Amino acid sequence: MRLQDKVAVVTGAASGIGKEIATVYVREGAKVAIADLNTEAAAATAKELDPSGERATGVAMDVTNEQQVDAGIQQVIDRWGRLDVLVSNAGIQIVAPLVEFQLAQWQKMLAIHLDGAFLTTRAALRQMYKQNSGSVIYMGSVHSKEASVLKAPYVTAKHGLLGLAKVVAKEGAAHGVRANVICPGFVRTPLVERQIPEQSKELGISEEDVVKKVMLKETVDGEFTTVADVAETALFLAAFPTNALTGQSIVVSHGWCMN
């Protein structure tokens, strides 16, 4: 098992990509905290992954709340004595033309994606530095490298994660900590499912055309990226044995973006 007895926190892990990453980590021997805004769903996911409660636990966490983040990370450390992997995955999507985007919605997007990444990283690094080891993995997007209409704050935030990862890689190197970004293409999660009718309305095209001519247009095979694709990449990064792979972004997108 590639993560035997490693301790991981995965944010936004009650569903979607986060849940799949947590599932793979438990399969590979890790002890995993399912950190999520939805406390009941986090607990249910943890029970589903490990009914014994020994290798998976739910943690209530609003990643934009400093006190909740610090308390949640500490809860994990108190329970299992260490923290080896942080997957900063929590995120939302709101689509609208830039000229119509409400400031409150812009701020909400940046808070969840960027403030959340900062707060969870800071809390995790305090423990990782004590251990002199750790892996921080950010859930970026092809939109960390490309832009799409209607997604100004999302694109801005995902670009920002690249910069944060590079700083963590630089600062963490002396403490045995590495940082990387996974950049998936479109993954057919509930978040993406909601975007299809929203973009259909905004762009004045059919939902089928949103999928074929917007979301998957630039892929090499017209296929969605799967949660399994992303989770296996998260496993690869978490299990990588040295600091040789740090400060990097890995695009998982069926060829949509090739840089």
Side-chain angles (χ1 to χ4, degrees):
M1 292 187 179
R2 297 169 67 185
L3 295 178
Q4 186 65 47
D5 294 326
K6 298 292 187 182
V7 175
V9 171
V10 184
T11 67
S15 63
I17 292 172
K19 182 177 180 179
E20 186 69 15
I21 292 172
T23 301
V24 170
Y25 281 9
V26 170
R27 182 194 77 197
E28 293 294 326
K31 299 170 182 175
V32 182
I34 311 300
D36 204 279
L37 185 64
N38 187 330
T39 307
E40 292 184 1
T45 295
K47 187 173 182 179
E48 178 186 337
L49 297 186
D50 177 25
S52 75
E54 295 178 2
R55 308 194 73 83
T57 187
V59 176
M61 188 180 293
D62 174 352
V63 297
T64 69
N65 184 300
E66 182 177 15
Q67 289 72 35
Q68 277 196 32
V69 170
D70 288 347
I73 297 294
Q74 191 59 51
Q75 178 184 332
V76 176
I77 295 166
D78 290 344
R79 176 168 182 154
W80 286 318
R82 59 186 297 112
L83 178 58
D84 301 288
V85 184
L86 168 68
V87 181
S88 177
N89 168 74
I92 64 168
Q93 180 62 282
I94 303 170
V95 297
L98 184 57
V99 294
E100 298 174 11
F101 229 103
Q102 298 176 14
L103 177 60
Q105 299 286 55
W106 171 275
Q107 292 172 330
K108 180 179 181 179
M109 288 283 292
L110 296 192
I112 292 170
H113 290 274
L114 290 180
D115 294 355
F118 160 68
L119 289 171
T120 53
T121 298
R122 188 182 64 178
L125 289 182
R126 290 167 176 163
Q127 175 63 28
M128 290 176 175
Y129 282 9
K130 292 176 184 178
Q131 301 167 186
N132 206 41
S133 65
S135 173
V136 179
I137 301 170
Y138 299 103
M139 193 55 60
S141 166
V142 167
H143 288 106
S144 296
K145 299 171 178 290
E146 302 282 353
S148 292
V149 298
L150 308 178
K151 297 183 178 181
Y154 188 82
V155 171
T156 300
K158 293 304 188 182
H159 272 67
L161 290 177
L162 296 180
L164 177 59
K166 291 175 182 179
V167 172
V168 175
K170 292 278 189 179
E171 293 188 4
H175 306 279
V177 175
R178 60 188 183 275
N180 294 288
V181 185
I182 301 173
C183 299
F186 281 104
V187 181
R188 202 147 192 175
T189 60
L191 185 148
V192 168
E193 289 287 356
R194 287 193 296 272
Q195 290 179 55
I196 295 171
E198 290 172 348
Q199 292 202 40
S200 174
K201 180 179 178 181
E202 289 288 350
L203 297 173
I205 59 178
S206 70
E207 293 187 12
E208 182 180 3
D209 281 346
V210 169
V211 172
K212 291 184 176 181
K213 298 181 179 180
V214 177
M215 292 184 169
L216 303 181
K217 178 182 178 182
E218 300 299 331
T219 65
V220 296
D221 53 11
E223 296 290 337
F224 279 100
T225 302
T226 68
V227 291
D229 294 331
V230 181
E232 290 298 327
T233 306
L235 171 62
F236 168 72
L237 290 172
F240 200 81
T242 73
N243 278 353
L245 183 60
T246 191
Q248 305 302 312
S249 56
I250 298 180
V251 181
V252 187
S253 69
H254 286 252
W256 171 10
C257 176
M258 297 187 182
N259 65 5

